[in-house]
Amino acid sequence: MARSDFRFHVTKRVRYAEIDAQAVVFNSRYLEYFDIGVTEYWRAAGVYDRWPDHSSPEFHVARAEVDYKAPILLDEEIDICVRAERAGRSSMTFLFELHGKGKDELRAAGRIVNVHVAEARGAASPVPEAFLALFEAFEGRALRA
């Protein structure tokens, strides 16, 4: 996917605690970067304005994928690009790309499928319309499958 297909990104600098012995970002950190990205994406889409006490709908990660393309090194700044890809009855899929700051320089790509639950330990339930509407408005397109 072209970087220009992402309406949103947040920039982050790689810290010492995130690297391995070769001064390359450790593989598990990529999922943490995706989590930072989706948190800021939700903020930009208006989730925290709509639910200011962080009582927004609850989602659990059902699937996470990472494709590693090129190393990310200590002290580099990266752009975490996020896009809502689609919404199903009870799930939402987000796409991620990590690029060098301000560059079309793909370092990693990923996809996370989140499932909406009615309560923290509950079964899957439909994605609330008000929640989905925020992302459709932010993306400027329908997300429903």
Side-chain angles (χ1 to χ4, degrees), residues 47-116:
V47 171
Y48 302 130
D49 293 333
R50 172 75 168 76
W51 291 277
D53 60 353
H54 295 280
S55 63
S56 63
E58 178 74 28
F59 285 83
H60 293 177
V61 174
R63 181 179 180 95
E65 303 170 9
V66 181
D67 294 320
Y68 304 95
K69 304 295 185 181
I72 301 171
L73 306 175
L74 175 63
D75 205 40
E76 273 194 83
E77 287 186 291
I78 58 168
D79 288 336
I80 305 167
C81 303
V82 184
R83 174 186 170 126
E85 179 183 36
R86 65 175 295 277
R89 186 188 78 75
S90 62
S91 67
M92 291 189 70
T93 302
F94 292 89
L95 299 179
F96 302 86
E97 286 188 359
L98 303 178
H99 291 266
K101 181 182 176 184
K103 300 175 184 169
D104 192 5
E105 183 181 85
L106 183 62
R107 304 301 188 78
R111 171 179 280 122
I112 292 181
V113 177
N114 292 303
V115 174
H116 177 255

Side-chain angles (χ1 to χ4, degrees), residues 112-129:
I112 292 181
V113 177
N114 292 303
V115 174
H116 177 255
V117 293
E119 56 188 58
R121 295 190 177 144
S125 64
V127 175
E129 285 297 318

Side-chain angles (χ1 to χ4, degrees), residues 1 3 19 28 39-40 55 72 78 103 115 127 139:
M1 174 171 285
R3 181 178 170 146
I19 62 170
S28 67
T39 298
E40 296 306 321
S55 63
I72 301 171
I78 58 168
K103 300 175 184 169
V115 174
V127 175
E139 289 288 345

